[in-house]
Amino acid sequence: MVKLAKTFRDFRPFHALVLGDFMLDTYTTGRVKRISPEAPVPVMEVLKQESRPGGAGNVVLNLAALGATVIAVGRIGSDREGAELKRLLHGADTTALLVEPHYKTPVKNRLIADSQQLIRVDFETITSLSPDVEEAIIAHLKRLIFQVQVVALSDYGKGFLTHRLIAEALQIAREARVPAIVDPKGADFLKYKGATVLKPNLSEAYAAAKCPSHFPLDQVAKELTSLADILLITRSEAGISIFDAEGRQSDFPVRSKEVKDVTGAGDTVLAMICLGFANGLDIHLAAQLANIAAGLSIERLGCVQITLSELAQRLLEYDSDTKIFDESHTYALHQVLQGKRYSLLVLERGQVMTTALFRTIRQLSSQGDQELILYVRDSQPNDEFIHLLSSLHDVDYIILQTESLKNLCNAIHPHEIFFLEQDKTVRLDQVKEWVDSLLPQRLE
């Protein structure tokens, strides 16, 4: 887990391209109090209805939540649902999301009462791309491929990802040396040959390999490993299994506190694997991080997006070294603190653990509505002291270098700043002014 913590801190912003079936997920929530007199079915009183991007759209949101700049390539209908879907893909580049006049944007409406899904109603017409649209998409891919570090193919079987489009997309990515991660659909996996990573779920893998359910998983994998550099099989609550080209198997169990809903967990895994490849991670490290993210996802109802901040919080439960940030980890720290308030406690050179310091940390952390960050103003801090601080539950993060602190304070101002002077906690007034004008003088 130590290596996972270091890997997390080394994440950098990246650009991704998502190619696939975009749809609108609608959630109609309410309560059931009676059975219909017309038929033995529950009557649901609707309390709320909301829509979110589904299918490849959920992959886009997952990638954006992990700090990616995302280009969406797909199609929507010239209808109200298509316009709503495009609006909800906020922050993504949707210029390559083509509007097809006679195509109906797919909609999945989930009816939920008392946190339980009663039924799902789908509105869709599955149609293949016309040759003209297919040519336009391929032209877009050839132009866009050099702007991204990773490509995600999200196939939901709605007709957009034709055999030709898949083959062209994988070839374009391979020629540009951009990894292509494929989330497949159906039983014909030959069309995905040439993918960097092929990511079916367990039932899809068995169906594609034409193997009965009692067959061992490694035998199933033998039928599929020739199609991609890496075969990654998601197994719901059982985690992830990875097979390389030689058939070597690695298993990674998922870690979650409670399984509420596995909907969208596959999209979370896809996004995390994309992040891993974009940052040059080994697939096994990426899979472990994907499992942690998926564990967070299945603890909530519906499709959710896991942020780097949430991932860091869960990693903190496994390894306190995740708390320690230096100059090379500024981006990850900024992602962790997005939307949060924090207090800063500045510790002078030569500071050791004392009763006064421990008491100060406890008092500041008890405020509860903000994170506590310690800045150790020492070019060569004592390793034992740093790891002792990181082991304290009350300490959220530790910054080790002045430049990191400057970058953080300029981007996200601390709510309060404290110093420990002669074993007394001193609160600094006029935080903004100090950050803007006195920070370089005070801390260098």
Side-chain angles (χ1 to χ4, degrees):
M1 192 61 69
V2 173
K3 195 169 185 180
L4 278 185
K6 181 182 183 303
T7 295
F8 169 82
R9 297 198 307 269
D10 286 340
F11 285 158
R12 296 289 182 272
F14 64 102
H15 291 73
L17 187 150
V18 176
L19 177 72
D21 294 304
F22 288 79
M23 59 192 74
L24 192 67
D25 282 352
T26 299
Y27 296 84
T28 303
T29 56
R31 57 192 174 196
V32 173
K33 290 186 175 180
R34 61 192 178 97
I35 301 298
S36 172
E38 303 167 357
V41 295
V43 175
M44 188 178 83
E45 177 189 351
V46 176
L47 300 176
K48 183 177 66 172
Q49 190 170 52
E50 61 178 333
S51 295
R52 307 172 194 167
N58 188 44
V59 179
V60 169
L61 294 189
N62 271 274
L63 284 164
L66 296 174
T69 300
V70 188
I71 301 173
V73 182
R75 67 172 170 175
I76 55 176
S78 180
D79 49 26
R80 181 183 61 82
E81 292 79 10
E84 175 71 0
L85 174 56
K86 193 170 185 177
R87 183 188 68 81
L88 291 171
L89 291 172
H90 46 80
D93 182 348
T94 59
T95 54
L97 202 59
L98 299 184
V99 178
E100 204 169 359
H102 303 294
Y103 175 72
K104 182 174 177 57
T105 304
V107 177
K108 295 181 179 180
N109 188 4
R110 295 174 174 87
L111 276 65
I112 300 169
D114 301 319
S115 299
Q116 295 292 323
Q117 184 172 317
L118 302 181
I119 192 172
R120 193 183 85 189
V121 182
D122 289 1
F123 301 88
E124 62 183 20
T125 302
I126 299 176
T127 57
S128 295
L129 292 181
S130 66
D132 290 344
V133 174
E134 200 173 52
E135 287 294 341
I137 294 293
I138 293 169
H140 278 310
L141 292 177
K142 290 178 178 178
R143 176 176 54 85
L144 296 171
I145 193 66
F146 300 105
Q147 301 177 28
V148 301
Q149 285 87 53
V150 65
V151 172
L153 272 73
S154 180
D155 193 350
Y156 276 79
K158 306 305 177 187
F160 174 76
L161 287 174
T162 63
H163 282 60
R164 184 190 171 207
L165 182 55
I166 293 171
E168 291 280 359
L170 294 177
Q171 182 65 23
I172 290 168
R174 189 166 287 273
E175 288 178 356
R177 298 188 177 181
V178 174
I181 322 300
V182 176
D183 197 346
K185 191 72 174 179
D188 176 18
F189 281 10
L190 282 174
K191 59 187 175 183
Y192 306 118
K193 187 174 179 59
T196 307
V197 178
L198 185 60
K199 190 201 76 65
N201 62 34
L202 193 63
S203 60
E204 289 169 339
Y206 272 85
K210 297 179 175 55
C211 292
S213 59
H214 64 270
F215 265 44
L217 187 59
D218 59 342
Q219 291 189 33
V220 173
K222 285 180 181 179
E223 302 296 323
L224 305 175
T225 49
S226 63
L227 301 178
D229 298 339
I230 298 167
L231 175 67
L232 186 154
I233 300 176
T234 58
R235 302 167 59 196
S236 193
E237 304 97 287
I240 291 172
S241 292
I242 290 177
F243 298 85
D244 62 18
E246 285 72 42
R248 290 186 291 262
Q249 179 175 350
S250 301
D251 296 318
F252 303 94
V254 71
R255 303 172 91 172
S256 65
K257 296 179 179 179
E258 179 185 7
V259 179
K260 284 189 176 180
D261 189 357
V262 298
T263 303
D267 294 334
T268 300
V269 171
L270 177 59
M272 282 299 306
I273 297 300
C274 286
L275 179 147
F277 270 85
N279 280 273
L281 261 64
D282 174 81
I283 182 61
H284 299 93
L285 287 176
Q288 291 178 68
L289 289 169
N291 253 344
I292 294 172
L296 287 163
S297 174
I298 64 178
E299 291 169 12
R300 293 183 243 169
L301 190 65
C303 293
V304 296
Q305 290 77 48
I306 304 304
T307 65
L308 286 182
S309 180
E310 292 170 309
L311 185 62
Q313 292 292 336
R314 184 54 58 88
L315 280 171
L316 284 176
E317 298 175 13
Y318 303 145
D319 176 24
S320 61
D321 280 351
T322 312
K323 298 178 179 181
I324 304 171
F325 290 84
D326 59 24
E327 188 174 340
S328 62
H329 307 131
T330 303
Y331 168 74
L333 182 57
H334 289 189
Q335 291 296 313
V336 165
L337 293 174
Q338 284 296 323
K340 297 180 180 180
R341 298 199 311 173
Y342 71 94
S343 293
L344 183 69
L345 174 60
V346 180
L347 301 181
E348 301 292 341
R349 182 180 290 107
Q351 177 70 53
V352 296
M353 180 55 73
T354 63
T355 302
L357 174 57
F358 184 73
R359 183 172 58 248
T360 296
I361 291 172
R362 292 295 302 273
Q363 289 173 345
L364 296 181
S365 70
S366 66
Q367 297 177 16
D369 61 341
Q370 52 194 356
E371 309 288 293
L372 175 60
I373 297 181
L374 304 189
Y375 167 62
V376 182
R377 190 168 67 175
D378 192 337
S379 59
Q380 294 182 324
N382 181 276
D383 286 344
E384 290 185 1
F385 177 55
I386 296 301
H387 287 288
L388 176 59
L389 292 174
S390 70
S391 69
L392 298 178
H393 176 74
D394 302 289
V395 175
D396 292 300
Y397 305 104
I398 299 171
I399 297 178
L400 295 182
Q401 294 182 4
T402 304
E403 196 62 35
S404 298
L405 183 62
K406 289 181 187 178
N407 292 336
L408 174 62
C409 289
N410 286 330
I412 309 173
H413 283 203
H415 182 61
E416 295 178 299
I417 298 177
F418 299 90
F419 292 84
L420 193 63
E421 296 180 357
Q422 296 181 347
D423 286 344
K424 292 185 179 180
T425 307
V426 178
R427 182 179 180 274
L428 187 72
D429 294 327
Q430 298 177 326
V431 171
K432 185 178 185 302
E433 290 76 7
W434 184 80
V435 169
D436 290 343
S437 60
L438 299 180
L439 180 58
Q441 302 172 29
R442 183 72 180 265
L443 295 183
E444 286 185 337

